[in-house]
Amino acid sequence: MPVVDRREFGGRFSVKENSQRLANYRYLEIQLMEMIGGWCHTMPQLAVKATFGYHVYDHAQAADLLSERLEQLRAARTSQEPATDAFAELCEYVWLLDSTIDRLVAVYRVLEPHLVSSYVYHADATDPLSDAPTVRLLRQLAAMGQSHVAWGQAVLDGLTRSPDERRRALEVQADIEARLVACGGVTGQGIESHWLTFHSAKEEEKSPARVKRGRGGYKFRKQCAPLDHPVVEAPFWFSGDPDDFKVYQADDEWSLEGFRHKFHQLLYGEVETTDRMGKMLAEFPDLPWEMRMELAHQMWDEARHIEIVAKVVEDELGGELGYGPWTLVWWWMQNEADPLRRIAVTNSWAEANLMHTLREWREKAEARGLTRIAELSDYLQADERTHVRLATDWIRALTEEDPSKRDDLVHWGREAIARIQNFNARRDGEIVTKTAGADARFTFQKPGDASLVGAVAEVAGD
Protein backbone atom coordinates (compact mmCIF):
# COMPACT_ATOMS: atom_id res chain seq x y z
CA MET A 1 0.00 0.00 0.00
CA PRO A 2 1.51 3.38 -0.97
CA VAL A 3 2.09 5.93 1.77
CA VAL A 4 -0.03 9.04 1.25
CA ASP A 5 1.37 12.04 3.13
CA ARG A 6 0.14 15.46 2.06
CA ARG A 7 2.38 17.35 4.44
CA GLU A 8 5.06 19.49 2.85
CA PHE A 9 8.62 20.06 3.95
CA GLY A 10 9.51 23.52 5.16
CA GLY A 11 8.66 25.67 8.13
CA ARG A 12 9.12 29.14 9.40
CA PHE A 13 11.57 28.35 12.19
CA SER A 14 15.19 27.25 12.30
CA VAL A 15 16.27 24.86 15.06
CA LYS A 16 17.65 27.84 17.00
CA GLU A 17 14.47 29.91 16.68
CA ASN A 18 12.41 26.86 17.54
CA SER A 19 14.32 26.30 20.78
CA GLN A 20 14.19 30.00 21.67
CA ARG A 21 10.42 29.97 21.36
CA LEU A 22 10.11 26.83 23.46
CA ALA A 23 12.27 28.52 26.12
CA ASN A 24 9.89 31.51 26.01
CA TYR A 25 6.89 29.21 26.43
CA ARG A 26 8.56 27.39 29.28
CA TYR A 27 9.18 30.69 31.03
CA LEU A 28 5.48 31.54 30.87
CA GLU A 29 4.40 28.05 31.96
CA ILE A 30 6.63 28.37 35.03
CA GLN A 31 5.37 31.89 35.69
CA LEU A 32 1.78 30.64 35.61
CA MET A 33 2.68 27.74 37.89
CA GLU A 34 4.25 30.13 40.40
CA MET A 35 1.55 32.79 40.14
CA ILE A 36 -1.47 30.61 40.80
CA GLY A 37 0.51 28.56 43.31
CA GLY A 38 1.52 31.67 45.23
CA TRP A 39 -1.99 33.11 45.09
CA CYS A 40 -3.70 29.94 46.28
CA HIS A 41 -3.51 30.60 50.02
CA THR A 42 -5.10 34.04 49.54
CA MET A 43 -8.01 32.78 47.41
CA PRO A 44 -10.94 32.10 49.76
CA GLN A 45 -13.04 29.76 47.60
CA LEU A 46 -12.32 26.07 48.21
CA ALA A 47 -13.30 25.22 44.64
CA VAL A 48 -10.72 27.70 43.35
CA LYS A 49 -8.01 26.35 45.67
CA ALA A 50 -8.70 22.81 44.50
CA THR A 51 -8.64 23.70 40.80
CA PHE A 52 -5.50 25.78 41.24
CA GLY A 53 -3.87 22.61 42.56
CA TYR A 54 -4.75 20.83 39.31
CA HIS A 55 -3.60 23.73 37.15
CA VAL A 56 -0.28 24.17 38.98
CA TYR A 57 0.59 20.57 38.25
CA ASP A 58 -0.55 20.97 34.63
CA HIS A 59 1.81 23.92 34.16
CA ALA A 60 4.65 22.03 35.85
CA GLN A 61 4.11 19.08 33.52
CA ALA A 62 3.98 21.42 30.52
CA ALA A 63 7.28 23.00 31.54
CA ASP A 64 8.80 19.56 31.98
CA LEU A 65 7.65 18.36 28.55
CA LEU A 66 9.01 21.53 26.97
CA SER A 67 12.36 20.92 28.67
CA GLU A 68 12.50 17.46 27.11
CA ARG A 69 11.95 18.89 23.61
CA LEU A 70 14.45 21.68 24.27
CA GLU A 71 17.12 19.10 25.01
CA GLN A 72 16.29 17.32 21.76
CA LEU A 73 16.82 20.63 19.92
CA ARG A 74 20.34 21.00 21.35
CA ALA A 75 19.30 23.57 23.98
CA ALA A 76 19.72 23.34 27.74
CA ARG A 77 16.97 21.30 29.35
CA THR A 78 16.47 24.01 31.96
CA SER A 79 16.13 26.83 29.39
CA GLN A 80 13.45 29.34 30.27
CA GLU A 81 13.58 33.04 29.53
CA PRO A 82 11.28 35.91 28.66
CA ALA A 83 11.68 37.16 25.09
CA THR A 84 11.89 40.74 26.33
CA ASP A 85 12.32 42.58 29.61
CA ALA A 86 8.90 44.10 29.02
CA PHE A 87 7.29 40.66 29.06
CA ALA A 88 9.00 39.84 32.37
CA GLU A 89 7.70 43.15 33.73
CA LEU A 90 4.20 42.20 32.55
CA CYS A 91 4.42 38.93 34.48
CA GLU A 92 5.49 40.84 37.58
CA TYR A 93 2.56 43.24 37.12
CA VAL A 94 0.15 40.31 36.96
CA TRP A 95 1.74 38.63 40.00
CA LEU A 96 1.19 41.77 42.07
CA LEU A 97 -2.56 41.97 41.33
CA ASP A 98 -4.47 41.53 44.59
CA SER A 99 -8.08 41.10 43.47
CA THR A 100 -9.45 37.61 42.81
CA ILE A 101 -11.28 38.79 39.70
CA ASP A 102 -8.28 40.72 38.37
CA ARG A 103 -6.05 37.68 38.81
CA LEU A 104 -8.48 35.35 37.08
CA VAL A 105 -8.95 37.80 34.22
CA ALA A 106 -5.19 38.19 33.77
CA VAL A 107 -4.53 34.46 33.65
CA TYR A 108 -7.62 32.97 32.06
CA ARG A 109 -8.64 35.74 29.67
CA VAL A 110 -5.25 37.08 28.64
CA LEU A 111 -2.11 35.05 29.38
CA GLU A 112 -3.41 31.51 28.89
CA PRO A 113 -5.46 32.31 25.75
CA HIS A 114 -2.36 34.02 24.33
CA LEU A 115 -0.22 31.00 25.18
CA VAL A 116 -2.75 28.66 23.55
CA SER A 117 -2.83 30.74 20.37
CA SER A 118 0.99 30.85 20.34
CA TYR A 119 1.11 27.05 20.59
CA VAL A 120 -1.38 26.67 17.74
CA TYR A 121 0.49 29.16 15.57
CA HIS A 122 3.83 27.46 16.22
CA ALA A 123 2.44 24.00 15.51
CA ASP A 124 1.01 25.23 12.20
CA ALA A 125 4.03 27.27 11.14
CA THR A 126 6.87 24.84 11.89
CA ASP A 127 8.02 22.03 9.60
CA PRO A 128 5.29 19.37 10.01
CA LEU A 129 7.67 16.50 9.22
CA SER A 130 11.09 17.46 10.54
CA ASP A 131 9.63 19.06 13.65
CA ALA A 132 6.77 16.61 14.24
CA PRO A 133 7.63 16.15 17.95
CA THR A 134 7.13 19.88 18.55
CA VAL A 135 3.85 19.85 16.63
CA ARG A 136 2.55 16.93 18.66
CA LEU A 137 3.65 18.48 21.97
CA LEU A 138 2.25 21.95 21.34
CA ARG A 139 -1.13 20.67 20.21
CA GLN A 140 -1.31 18.62 23.39
CA LEU A 141 -0.44 21.66 25.53
CA ALA A 142 -2.90 23.86 23.62
CA ALA A 143 -5.74 21.45 24.40
CA MET A 144 -4.83 21.49 28.10
CA GLY A 145 -4.66 25.29 28.09
CA GLN A 146 -8.07 25.54 26.45
CA SER A 147 -9.59 23.51 29.28
CA HIS A 148 -8.07 25.95 31.77
CA VAL A 149 -9.48 28.93 29.87
CA ALA A 150 -12.97 27.38 29.82
CA TRP A 151 -12.85 26.83 33.59
CA GLY A 152 -11.62 30.37 34.23
CA GLN A 153 -14.37 31.87 32.11
CA ALA A 154 -17.02 29.85 33.95
CA VAL A 155 -15.69 31.03 37.31
CA LEU A 156 -15.55 34.65 36.17
CA ASP A 157 -19.14 34.41 34.94
CA GLY A 158 -20.12 33.39 38.46
CA LEU A 159 -18.07 36.10 40.17
CA THR A 160 -19.13 39.01 37.92
CA ARG A 161 -22.89 39.00 38.13
CA SER A 162 -23.67 42.71 37.82
CA PRO A 163 -23.18 44.93 34.75
CA ASP A 164 -20.65 47.05 36.68
CA GLU A 165 -18.62 43.97 37.66
CA ARG A 166 -18.61 42.75 34.06
CA ARG A 167 -17.56 46.17 32.82
CA ARG A 168 -14.72 46.41 35.27
CA ALA A 169 -13.47 42.92 34.40
CA LEU A 170 -13.44 43.90 30.73
CA GLU A 171 -11.47 47.05 31.56
CA VAL A 172 -8.86 44.97 33.42
CA GLN A 173 -8.70 42.59 30.48
CA ALA A 174 -8.26 45.43 28.00
CA ASP A 175 -5.46 46.96 30.08
CA ILE A 176 -3.50 43.70 30.36
CA GLU A 177 -4.04 42.85 26.70
CA ALA A 178 -2.69 46.28 25.75
CA ARG A 179 0.41 45.60 27.87
CA LEU A 180 0.76 42.20 26.23
CA VAL A 181 0.61 43.64 22.71
CA ALA A 182 3.02 46.44 23.61
CA CYS A 183 5.69 43.98 24.80
CA GLY A 184 5.37 41.72 21.75
CA GLY A 185 3.78 38.77 23.50
CA VAL A 186 5.44 35.65 24.86
CA THR A 187 7.93 35.38 21.97
CA GLY A 188 8.52 39.10 21.54
CA GLN A 189 7.48 38.67 17.88
CA GLY A 190 4.06 40.23 18.19
CA ILE A 191 0.66 38.54 18.18
CA GLU A 192 1.10 36.03 15.37
CA SER A 193 -1.87 34.55 13.50
CA HIS A 194 -0.83 33.31 10.09
CA TRP A 195 -3.74 30.89 9.79
CA LEU A 196 -6.37 33.63 9.51
CA THR A 197 -8.37 33.62 6.27
CA PHE A 198 -6.79 35.48 3.34
CA HIS A 199 -3.58 36.14 5.26
CA SER A 200 -0.60 35.29 3.09
CA ALA A 201 1.92 33.03 4.77
CA LYS A 202 4.55 34.16 2.30
CA GLU A 203 4.48 37.65 3.79
CA GLU A 204 6.14 36.21 6.89
CA GLU A 205 8.45 33.52 5.56
CA LYS A 206 10.83 33.83 8.51
CA SER A 207 10.62 35.28 11.99
CA PRO A 208 11.96 38.81 12.50
CA ALA A 209 15.21 39.38 14.36
CA ARG A 210 15.02 38.94 18.12
CA VAL A 211 15.84 41.50 20.76
CA LYS A 212 19.07 40.52 22.52
CA ARG A 213 18.57 40.62 26.28
CA GLY A 214 21.93 39.43 27.55
CA ARG A 215 22.55 38.08 31.03
CA GLY A 216 21.49 41.29 32.71
CA GLY A 217 17.86 40.99 31.63
CA TYR A 218 15.04 41.96 33.97
CA LYS A 219 14.18 39.43 36.67
CA PHE A 220 11.94 39.51 39.72
CA ARG A 221 11.23 37.26 42.69
CA LYS A 222 7.84 36.46 44.12
CA GLN A 223 7.26 37.02 47.82
CA CYS A 224 4.02 36.42 49.70
CA ALA A 225 3.02 38.59 52.64
CA PRO A 226 3.07 36.56 55.91
CA LEU A 227 -0.38 35.54 57.16
CA ASP A 228 -1.62 33.83 60.33
CA HIS A 229 -3.55 31.29 58.27
CA PRO A 230 -4.76 30.70 54.71
CA VAL A 231 -7.68 32.82 53.55
CA VAL A 232 -10.91 30.78 53.42
CA GLU A 233 -14.53 31.55 52.66
CA ALA A 234 -17.43 31.31 55.10
CA PRO A 235 -18.53 29.12 56.80
CA PHE A 236 -14.93 28.00 57.47
CA TRP A 237 -13.15 29.67 60.36
CA PHE A 238 -9.99 29.49 62.46
CA SER A 239 -9.54 29.63 66.21
CA GLY A 240 -6.71 29.67 68.73
CA ASP A 241 -9.08 29.00 71.63
CA PRO A 242 -8.91 25.34 72.76
CA ASP A 243 -12.49 25.54 74.05
CA ASP A 244 -13.83 26.09 70.53
CA PHE A 245 -12.63 22.60 69.60
CA LYS A 246 -14.95 20.88 72.09
CA VAL A 247 -17.44 20.65 69.23
CA TYR A 248 -15.30 17.78 67.94
CA GLN A 249 -15.79 15.63 71.04
CA ALA A 250 -17.76 12.41 70.61
CA ASP A 251 -18.79 9.70 73.05
CA ASP A 252 -17.71 7.07 70.52
CA GLU A 253 -14.82 8.29 68.38
CA TRP A 254 -15.34 5.47 65.83
CA SER A 255 -19.03 6.20 65.30
CA LEU A 256 -20.26 8.17 62.27
CA GLU A 257 -20.15 11.28 64.45
CA GLY A 258 -16.57 10.53 65.48
CA PHE A 259 -15.46 10.01 61.89
CA ARG A 260 -17.26 13.20 60.89
CA HIS A 261 -15.17 15.16 63.39
CA LYS A 262 -11.96 13.49 62.20
CA PHE A 263 -12.56 14.17 58.52
CA HIS A 264 -13.70 17.75 59.10
CA GLN A 265 -10.42 18.49 60.89
CA LEU A 266 -8.49 16.58 58.23
CA LEU A 267 -10.01 18.90 55.61
CA TYR A 268 -7.92 21.73 57.06
CA GLY A 269 -4.79 19.68 56.53
CA GLU A 270 -5.67 19.21 52.86
CA VAL A 271 -6.40 22.91 52.37
CA GLU A 272 -3.29 24.02 54.23
CA THR A 273 -1.04 21.64 52.34
CA THR A 274 -2.46 22.61 48.96
CA ASP A 275 -1.77 26.23 49.86
CA ARG A 276 1.70 25.65 51.29
CA MET A 277 2.91 23.68 48.28
CA GLY A 278 1.84 26.52 45.98
CA LYS A 279 3.48 29.11 48.22
CA MET A 280 6.77 27.18 48.16
CA LEU A 281 6.71 26.96 44.38
CA ALA A 282 6.26 30.73 44.14
CA GLU A 283 8.84 31.76 46.71
CA PHE A 284 11.67 29.31 46.02
CA PRO A 285 12.37 29.26 42.27
CA ASP A 286 15.96 28.12 42.84
CA LEU A 287 15.08 24.73 44.28
CA PRO A 288 16.03 21.83 41.99
CA TRP A 289 13.51 21.46 39.18
CA GLU A 290 12.91 17.80 40.03
CA MET A 291 11.97 18.82 43.58
CA ARG A 292 9.64 21.51 42.29
CA MET A 293 7.93 18.93 40.10
CA GLU A 294 7.31 16.81 43.19
CA LEU A 295 5.97 19.82 45.11
CA ALA A 296 3.57 20.52 42.23
CA HIS A 297 2.51 16.87 42.21
CA GLN A 298 1.81 17.00 45.94
CA MET A 299 -0.23 20.17 45.44
CA TRP A 300 -2.35 18.27 42.93
CA ASP A 301 -2.73 15.35 45.35
CA GLU A 302 -3.85 17.66 48.14
CA ALA A 303 -6.27 19.47 45.84
CA ARG A 304 -7.90 16.11 45.09
CA HIS A 305 -7.97 15.41 48.80
CA ILE A 306 -9.89 18.65 49.40
CA GLU A 307 -12.58 17.39 47.04
CA ILE A 308 -12.59 13.88 48.54
CA VAL A 309 -12.63 14.88 52.21
CA ALA A 310 -15.24 17.62 51.79
CA LYS A 311 -17.51 15.17 49.97
CA VAL A 312 -16.99 12.54 52.67
CA VAL A 313 -18.04 14.98 55.40
CA GLU A 314 -21.19 16.01 53.55
CA ASP A 315 -22.29 12.90 51.63
CA GLU A 316 -21.02 9.98 53.69
CA LEU A 317 -21.03 11.39 57.22
CA GLY A 318 -23.98 13.81 57.11
CA GLY A 319 -21.95 16.82 58.21
CA GLU A 320 -22.23 20.50 57.36
CA LEU A 321 -18.95 22.08 56.33
CA GLY A 322 -17.69 24.75 58.72
CA TYR A 323 -19.48 23.47 61.82
CA GLY A 324 -16.21 23.48 63.76
CA PRO A 325 -13.01 25.55 63.75
CA TRP A 326 -9.66 24.92 62.13
CA THR A 327 -6.44 25.30 64.06
CA LEU A 328 -3.83 28.08 63.91
CA VAL A 329 -0.88 25.98 65.08
CA TRP A 330 0.40 24.93 61.65
CA TRP A 331 0.50 27.77 59.16
CA TRP A 332 3.14 29.93 60.86
CA MET A 333 5.80 27.50 59.63
CA GLN A 334 4.97 28.50 56.05
CA ASN A 335 6.32 31.99 56.75
CA GLU A 336 9.80 30.56 57.41
CA ALA A 337 12.57 31.74 55.07
CA ASP A 338 14.12 28.26 54.91
CA PRO A 339 12.22 25.98 52.49
CA LEU A 340 13.40 22.86 54.30
CA ARG A 341 11.83 24.02 57.54
CA ARG A 342 8.53 24.30 55.72
CA ILE A 343 8.51 20.57 54.97
CA ALA A 344 10.54 19.17 57.89
CA VAL A 345 7.65 19.00 60.38
CA THR A 346 4.72 18.84 57.98
CA ASN A 347 6.00 16.16 55.60
CA SER A 348 8.65 14.31 57.60
CA TRP A 349 6.74 14.09 60.85
CA ALA A 350 3.04 14.95 60.51
CA GLU A 351 2.37 13.19 57.22
CA ALA A 352 4.41 10.19 58.36
CA ASN A 353 2.19 10.04 61.44
CA LEU A 354 -0.91 10.56 59.33
CA MET A 355 -0.08 7.36 57.46
CA HIS A 356 -0.46 5.47 60.73
CA THR A 357 -3.57 7.45 61.64
CA LEU A 358 -5.28 6.69 58.32
CA ARG A 359 -4.42 3.00 58.65
CA GLU A 360 -6.12 2.99 62.04
CA TRP A 361 -9.14 4.79 60.56
CA ARG A 362 -9.35 2.15 57.83
CA GLU A 363 -9.16 -0.72 60.31
CA LYS A 364 -11.75 0.81 62.68
CA ALA A 365 -14.08 1.64 59.78
CA GLU A 366 -13.82 -1.92 58.44
CA ALA A 367 -14.65 -3.28 61.90
CA ARG A 368 -17.79 -1.09 61.98
CA GLY A 369 -18.84 -2.04 58.46
CA LEU A 370 -18.17 1.48 57.13
CA THR A 371 -16.79 0.24 53.82
CA ARG A 372 -16.71 3.57 52.01
CA ILE A 373 -14.84 5.29 54.85
CA ALA A 374 -12.36 2.42 54.96
CA GLU A 375 -11.73 2.57 51.19
CA LEU A 376 -11.22 6.34 51.17
CA SER A 377 -8.88 6.21 54.16
CA ASP A 378 -6.84 3.61 52.30
CA TYR A 379 -6.56 5.77 49.17
CA LEU A 380 -5.60 8.85 51.17
CA GLN A 381 -2.92 6.87 52.99
CA ALA A 382 -1.43 5.68 49.68
CA ASP A 383 -0.82 9.28 48.60
CA GLU A 384 0.79 10.23 51.90
CA ARG A 385 3.67 7.85 51.30
CA THR A 386 4.90 9.85 48.30
CA HIS A 387 4.65 13.09 50.29
CA VAL A 388 6.77 11.68 53.09
CA ARG A 389 9.28 10.41 50.55
CA LEU A 390 9.51 13.86 48.94
CA ALA A 391 10.75 15.50 52.13
CA THR A 392 12.86 12.53 53.22
CA ASP A 393 14.81 12.35 49.98
CA TRP A 394 15.23 16.06 49.34
CA ILE A 395 16.15 17.09 52.88
CA ARG A 396 18.76 14.36 52.94
CA ALA A 397 20.08 15.35 49.51
CA LEU A 398 20.22 19.08 50.27
CA THR A 399 21.90 18.60 53.66
CA GLU A 400 24.30 15.83 52.62
CA GLU A 401 27.30 18.17 52.67
CA ASP A 402 26.14 20.00 55.78
CA PRO A 403 25.06 17.60 58.58
CA SER A 404 24.76 20.55 60.97
CA LYS A 405 21.92 21.83 58.81
CA ARG A 406 20.05 18.57 59.33
CA ASP A 407 20.71 18.77 63.08
CA ASP A 408 19.31 22.30 63.08
CA LEU A 409 16.16 21.08 61.34
CA VAL A 410 15.68 18.40 63.99
CA HIS A 411 16.14 20.91 66.84
CA TRP A 412 13.84 23.49 65.24
CA GLY A 413 11.30 20.82 64.31
CA ARG A 414 11.04 19.52 67.86
CA GLU A 415 10.36 23.01 69.15
CA ALA A 416 7.65 23.41 66.54
CA ILE A 417 6.10 20.07 67.50
CA ALA A 418 6.12 21.10 71.17
CA ARG A 419 4.06 24.14 70.20
CA ILE A 420 1.57 21.91 68.35
CA GLN A 421 1.35 19.23 71.04
CA ASN A 422 0.92 21.74 73.86
CA PHE A 423 -2.02 23.36 72.07
CA ASN A 424 -3.55 19.93 71.47
CA ALA A 425 -3.07 19.09 75.15
CA ARG A 426 -4.95 22.24 76.20
CA ARG A 427 -7.64 21.45 73.62
CA ASP A 428 -8.10 17.94 74.99
CA GLY A 429 -7.92 18.96 78.65
CA GLU A 430 -4.58 17.24 79.19
CA ILE A 431 -1.49 18.38 81.06
CA VAL A 432 0.95 20.58 79.14
CA THR A 433 4.49 19.25 79.55
CA LYS A 434 7.90 20.86 79.11
CA THR A 435 9.16 17.76 77.29
CA ALA A 436 6.58 17.86 74.49
CA GLY A 437 8.21 17.17 71.14
CA ALA A 438 11.58 16.31 72.67
CA ASP A 439 11.61 12.75 71.33
CA ALA A 440 9.97 13.42 67.96
CA ARG A 441 11.37 11.47 65.01
CA PHE A 442 11.73 12.74 61.46
CA THR A 443 11.93 10.52 58.42
CA PHE A 444 14.93 12.42 57.03
CA GLN A 445 17.06 11.37 60.00
CA LYS A 446 19.53 8.63 59.10
CA PRO A 447 20.23 5.44 61.03
CA GLY A 448 22.96 6.10 63.54
CA ASP A 449 22.09 9.78 64.07
CA ALA A 450 22.46 10.74 67.72
CA SER A 451 19.13 12.55 67.54
CA LEU A 452 17.26 9.48 66.22
CA VAL A 453 15.13 8.71 69.27
CA GLY A 454 11.45 8.54 70.02
CA ALA A 455 8.44 6.95 68.43
CA VAL A 456 5.79 7.92 65.91
CA ALA A 457 3.05 10.04 67.43
CA GLU A 458 -0.55 10.43 66.33
CA VAL A 459 -1.57 13.64 64.63
CA ALA A 460 -4.16 14.41 61.98
CA GLY A 461 -3.24 18.03 61.46
CA ASP A 462 -1.58 17.66 58.05
Side-chain angles (χ1 to χ4, degrees):
M1 178 182 292
V3 176
V4 178
D5 193 333
R6 294 185 174 86
R7 294 174 296 176
E8 296 182 358
F9 285 115
R12 194 163 292 171
F13 312 129
S14 64
V15 170
K16 181 178 180 181
E17 174 62 23
N18 202 346
S19 63
Q20 286 180 315
R21 285 173 177 259
L22 296 190
N24 297 154
Y25 304 151
R26 189 167 185 268
Y27 174 83
L28 182 50
E29 291 283 8
I30 292 174
Q31 287 297 312
L32 290 169
M33 175 190 77
E34 293 174 355
M35 284 178 192
I36 63 178
W39 289 337
C40 193
H41 70 290
T42 64
M43 306 291 269
Q45 301 87 354
L46 249 61
V48 172
K49 289 179 184 291
T51 306
F52 271 14
Y54 281 72
H55 289 185
V56 162
Y57 188 50
D58 285 346
H59 290 301
Q61 286 186 302
D64 205 50
L65 290 168
L66 287 165
S67 71
E68 181 179 328
R69 184 57 183 151
L70 279 162
E71 190 173 46
Q72 294 165 356
L73 293 170
R74 301 196 302 265
R77 190 180 180 92
T78 56
S79 295
Q80 56 130 335
E81 61 174 343
T84 63
D85 286 350
F87 187 79
E89 291 167 356
L90 171 62
C91 290
E92 181 180 33
Y93 175 81
V94 171
W95 161 250
L96 294 173
L97 295 172
D98 58 6
S99 157
T100 294
I101 291 175
D102 291 1
R103 291 169 171 178
L104 294 175
V105 166
V107 169
Y108 297 102
R109 284 191 181 174
V110 182
L111 292 182
E112 279 229 67
H114 171 60
L115 188 56
V116 168
S117 67
S118 298
Y119 286 157
V120 173
Y121 167 76
H122 191 143
D124 284 351
T126 195
D127 189 310
L129 287 163
S130 302
D131 198 24
T134 299
V135 174
R136 182 183 178 89
L137 170 60
L138 296 184
R139 286 180 177 161
Q140 173 188 342
L141 298 185
M144 182 171 65
Q146 286 174 324
S147 71
H148 293 180
V149 171
W151 174 85
Q153 182 59 44
V155 173
L156 281 165
D157 283 346
L159 294 177
T160 56
R161 295 182 177 273
S162 72
D164 286 343
E165 289 172 332
R166 291 288 175 96
R167 189 177 299 109
R168 187 185 177 284
L170 288 171
E171 289 171 355
V172 172
Q173 180 180 346
D175 172 61
I176 298 173
E177 285 186 341
R179 295 171 185 266
L180 178 68
V181 172
C183 72
V186 65
T187 64
Q189 305 293 303
I191 310 302
E192 300 160 308
S193 54
H194 86 284
W195 65 87
L196 293 180
T197 308
F198 306 124
H199 188 89
S200 173
K202 291 185 178 180
E203 294 177 12
E204 298 179 6
E205 287 280 337
K206 298 295 180 182
S207 299
R210 283 179 163 265
V211 176
K212 293 184 178 181
R213 295 182 65 244
R215 295 185 177 180
Y218 186 77
K219 297 178 182 179
F220 71 99
R221 293 185 71 93
K222 300 175 179 70
Q223 188 65 42
C224 305
L227 299 176
D228 292 334
H229 58 76
V231 178
V232 295
E233 63 184 342
F236 300 106
W237 54 293
F238 290 86
S239 175
D241 184 348
D243 289 340
D244 287 337
F245 290 80
K246 291 179 179 178
V247 70
Y248 291 125
Q249 294 176 353
D251 293 334
D252 179 357
E253 70 169 311
W254 304 115
S255 63
L256 284 176
E257 179 191 12
F259 274 112
R260 183 189 313 134
H261 297 335
K262 293 177 187 299
F263 273 90
H264 192 274
Q265 293 180 86
L266 178 62
L267 181 57
Y268 166 68
E270 313 302 353
V271 170
E272 185 257 3
T273 309
T274 300
D275 288 341
R276 69 182 174 87
M277 290 294 111
K279 192 169 183 283
M280 280 191 69
L281 286 167
E283 294 185 314
F284 300 106
D286 298 327
L287 290 173
W289 174 252
E290 294 80 7
M291 181 181 180
R292 303 186 83 204
M293 279 294 298
E294 292 183 37
L295 293 171
H297 191 287
Q298 181 171 348
M299 186 175 182
W300 174 46
D301 285 347
E302 306 295 353
R304 291 186 293 105
H305 293 179
I306 290 176
E307 297 170 325
I308 293 168
V309 175
K311 191 172 181 64
V312 169
V313 171
E314 290 189 311
D315 294 1
E316 301 295 329
L317 299 172
E320 183 175 332
L321 295 179
Y323 73 87
W326 286 344
T327 180
L328 293 169
V329 297
W330 290 95
W331 185 257
W332 62 273
M333 287 181 276
Q334 303 314 311
N335 297 322
E336 285 287 328
D338 181 354
L340 299 187
R341 285 189 174 188
R342 297 193 187 187
I343 58 174
V345 171
T346 51
N347 286 55
S348 288
W349 178 75
E351 296 210 57
N353 296 336
L354 183 56
M355 289 178 64
H356 295 269
T357 299
L358 288 169
R359 182 177 62 195
E360 183 182 24
W361 291 9
R362 173 175 58 80
E363 292 169 350
K364 296 295 186 181
E366 286 174 344
R368 297 291 181 101
L370 302 175
T371 305
R372 179 70 67 195
I373 301 302
E375 290 175 347
L376 293 173
S377 297
D378 201 22
Y379 267 105
L380 292 172
Q381 187 203 34
D383 283 339
E384 299 305 332
R385 185 175 184 277
T386 63
H387 308 160
V388 175
R389 176 61 61 186
L390 181 161
T392 302
D393 290 348
W394 283 108
I395 290 178
R396 286 180 177 180
L398 296 175
T399 60
E400 188 65 32
E401 303 301 322
D402 186 5
S404 64
K405 172 70 171 177
R406 192 160 62 244
D407 292 341
D408 174 70
L409 287 172
V410 171
H411 178 73
W412 176 86
R414 286 174 175 166
E415 290 183 343
I417 291 168
R419 180 172 172 177
I420 295 165
Q421 290 182 335
N422 283 334
F423 174 82
N424 291 344
R426 291 194 298 273
R427 178 196 64 191
D428 299 335
E430 299 174 355
I431 298 174
V432 175
T433 67
K434 293 182 179 180
T435 59
D439 60 350
R441 281 173 47 182
F442 300 90
T443 59
F444 59 80
Q445 292 175 273
K446 293 186 175 183
D449 284 358
S451 58
L452 190 57
V453 297
V456 175
E458 291 185 21
V459 60
D462 207 348

